[in-house]
């Protein structure tokens, strides 16, 4: 796969629409394309993966090929990639088809010397990232079941090739107050408590809960009320009031701990979702070292956005998130990526695999010496 093949492949995958839950056509294409280039793709739903290498620890390259729906304001057809001045425009060109293309090229290039390598590589391309990670949530346990639990993973998302070593979690809870519906004119006389007023008091109390100290890379954990619901008629006291809270959490405080702290205020809390856990990896982990060797000028950053990284972390796989393109361009009208970013990305991933092999070999020798 030379640079021209890589850029053509990227344009081809941008041209195939793959909004979340409508990824079959693109997954079919990826499966076919990998097979045509000598890999042995395996399908799991609308996820596809391929393994290279014979022995040694397993490194996973993961990215997602679904996209959000086109935002309002596109000035060009989102599914007709156009190249202008080195920019490739198209829906998903940056998030995350640049990573998909770069990782695929790096995988195939690395594969040429896989027979003599001391590591194995699995390329895992998944669907449904943008709607909550159902693709990776299915594929990661599937890899584990098939004896392919990665020893480390790289999640490809547009980070400008900076290396994300910490990621915020997302905890969603609902606060609820129940009351008794009645006519607004009689509520006082009937002694009915208005659940809207009680909920307002809950929100003020919840706002004072300590969410933990700021994280050096992620900043403060946050809690924002986002969806408030109560009442439908101007002259009725409603029977209930609810509010959704969106919490962006830090790795030093577990979701269980946070929920306990919220409940301590006396508010009725229902957990809507706590599966997207916060994450941080030690800077001394070999996968972080490999990323730094592959790109010494890279900074280690924290990421506020949630990604498929959580499903690797949940399986106990040391993981970093790094990829070509810019997060600010994701989900925007006229999304684009630079051709140079895609090419740099592919070379970076290939260097990263080779650096990880060196570090893992050193670690094995170190362990052998230690036990000896
Ligand atoms: Zn993405």
């Amino acid at each position: 796969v030379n640079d021209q093949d890589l850029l053509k492949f990227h344009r081809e995958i941008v041209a195939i629409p793959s909004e979340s839950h409508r990824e079959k056509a693109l997954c079919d294409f990826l499966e076919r394309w990998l097979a045509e280039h000598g890999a042995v793709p395996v399908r799991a739903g609308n996820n596809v993966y391929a393994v290279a290498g014979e022995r040694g620890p397993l490194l996973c390259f993961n990215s997602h090929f679904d996209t959000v729906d086109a935002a309002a304001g596109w000035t060009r057809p989102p599914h007709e990639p156009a190249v202008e001045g080195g920019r490739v425009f198209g829906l998903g060109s940056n998030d995350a088809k640049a990573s998909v293309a770069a990782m695929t090229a790096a995988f195939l290039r690395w594969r040429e010397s896989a027979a003599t390598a001391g590591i194995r590589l699995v390329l895992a391309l998944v669907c449904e990232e943008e709607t909550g990670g159902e693709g990776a949530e299915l594929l990661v346990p599937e890899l584990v079941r098939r004896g392919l639990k990665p020893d480390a993973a790289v999640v490809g998302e547009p980070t400008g090739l900076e290396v994300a070593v910490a990621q915020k979690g997302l905890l969603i809870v609902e606060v609820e107050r129940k009351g008794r519906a009645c006519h607004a004119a009689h509520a006082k006389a009937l002694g009915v408590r208005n659940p809207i007023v009680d909920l307002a008091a809950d929100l003020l109390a919840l706002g004072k809960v300590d969410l933990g100290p700021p994280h050096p890379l992620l900043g403060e954990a946050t809690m924002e009320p986002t969806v408030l619901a109560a009442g439908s008629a101007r002259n009725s006291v409603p029977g209930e009031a609810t509010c959704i809270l969106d919490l962006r959490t830090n790795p030093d405080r577990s979701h269980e701990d946070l929920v306990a702290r919220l409940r301590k205020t006396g508010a009725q809390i229902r957990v809507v979702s706590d599966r997207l856990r916060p994450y941080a990896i030690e800077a001394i982990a070999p996968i972080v070292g490999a990323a730094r060797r592959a790109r010494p000028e890279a900074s280690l950053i924290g990421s506020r956005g949630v990604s498929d990284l959580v499903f690797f972390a949940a399986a106990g796989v040391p993981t970093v998130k790094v990829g070509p393109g810019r997060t600010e361009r994701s989900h925007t009208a006229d999304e684009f990526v630079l051709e140079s970013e895609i090419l740099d990305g592919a070379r970076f991933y290939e260097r990263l695999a080779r650096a990880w092999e060196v570090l893992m070999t050193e670690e094995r020798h170190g362990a052998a010496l230690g036990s000896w």
Side-chain angles (χ1 to χ4, degrees):
V1 184
N2 65 29
D3 286 356
Q4 291 318 309
D5 299 332
L6 164 54
L7 295 176
K8 177 166 176 278
F9 172 60
H10 175 259
R11 290 193 299 273
E12 284 171 334
I13 62 176
V14 172
I16 301 173
S18 59
E19 288 86 349
S20 304
H21 305 288
R22 298 195 293 277
E23 298 102 328
K24 186 177 178 302
L26 180 52
C27 195
D28 290 347
F29 175 85
L30 291 168
E31 188 181 5
R32 218 169 38 242
W33 200 88
L34 282 166
E36 280 165 16
H37 288 78
V40 185
V42 182
R43 187 80 170 247
N46 280 335
N47 302 312
V48 61
Y49 70 88
V51 183
E54 323 257 295
R55 68 194 76 80
L58 181 63
L59 175 62
C60 179
F61 282 170
N62 159 262
S63 191
H64 70 90
F65 54 83
D66 63 315
T67 72
V68 294
D69 290 341
W74 274 83
T75 63
R76 43 184 96 229
H79 296 300
E80 290 170 27
V83 187
E84 285 166 31
R87 294 177 170 196
V88 190
F89 291 90
L91 180 59
S93 58
N94 172 75
D95 179 15
K97 292 180 181 182
S99 291
V100 169
M103 281 182 157
T104 302
F107 171 82
L108 291 171
R109 289 170 182 175
W110 182 87
R111 195 176 168 277
E112 287 168 22
S113 57
T116 55
I119 61 166
R120 292 167 300 149
L121 201 53
V122 55
L123 174 72
L125 305 176
V126 304
C127 61
E128 296 177 14
E129 192 274 342
E130 298 289 3
T131 52
E134 296 88 346
E137 194 167 28
L138 181 137
L139 187 63
V140 175
E142 178 72 14
L143 290 175
V144 174
R145 265 197 301 280
R146 298 193 188 190
L148 292 170
K149 180 179 170 180
D151 296 284
V154 181
V155 172
E157 289 279 358
T159 65
L161 294 186
E162 309 299 2
V163 183
V165 292
Q167 181 176 281
K168 287 240 178 192
L170 170 59
L171 171 62
I172 308 169
V173 302
E174 187 184 57
V175 199
E176 184 189 63
R177 276 290 184 166
K178 286 233 188 283
R180 184 152 60 87
C182 69
H183 197 293
H186 305 316
K188 201 94 187 172
L190 292 170
V192 167
R193 292 182 66 87
N194 188 320
I196 294 178
V197 177
D198 288 341
L199 185 77
D202 286 342
L203 292 178
L204 291 176
L206 288 165
K208 296 202 180 82
V209 170
D210 175 16
L211 304 177
H215 184 276
L217 294 175
L218 297 169
E220 284 189 57
T222 58
M223 174 168 66
E224 295 292 345
T226 52
V227 183
L228 188 61
S232 53
R234 193 266 308 151
N235 56 355
S236 296
V237 169
E240 65 172 9
T242 61
C243 185
I244 297 284
L245 302 180
D246 173 300
L247 288 94
R248 303 294 163 148
T249 60
N250 279 340
D252 35 23
R253 199 149 277 187
S254 74
H255 283 176
E256 289 75 14
D257 179 45
L258 288 171
V259 170
R261 282 165 190 265
L262 298 178
R263 289 199 166 124
K264 240 179 150 177
T265 64
Q268 293 292 316
I269 300 290
R270 184 174 72 83
V271 175
V272 178
S273 169
D274 65 353
R275 72 196 229 287
L276 302 174
R277 308 267 164 163
Y279 178 73
I281 183 171
E282 304 261 350
I284 55 161
I287 190 63
V288 180
R292 299 182 94 168
R293 282 193 188 189
R295 187 168 179 267
E297 69 274 30
S299 357
L300 302 186
I301 59 167
S303 168
R304 276 196 298 275
V306 174
S307 74
D308 279 342
L309 183 151
V310 291
F311 303 108
F312 290 91
V317 179
T319 305
V320 294
K321 179 166 80 175
V322 48
R326 297 274 170 187
T327 185
E328 309 84 69
R329 296 184 208 135
S330 302
H331 307 189
T332 61
D334 296 338
E335 176 183 354
F336 69 91
V337 68
L338 304 181
E339 288 185 317
S340 60
E341 289 172 329
I342 302 170
L343 300 179
D344 287 347
R347 283 191 279 270
F348 164 78
Y349 288 133
E350 195 184 348
R351 281 198 305 273
L352 188 155
R354 298 194 190 284
W356 191 73
E357 177 177 3
V358 170
L359 288 171
M360 292 307 279
T361 311
E362 284 170 5
E363 188 166 80
R364 267 208 307 285
H365 289 165
L369 284 174
S371 61
W372 182 75

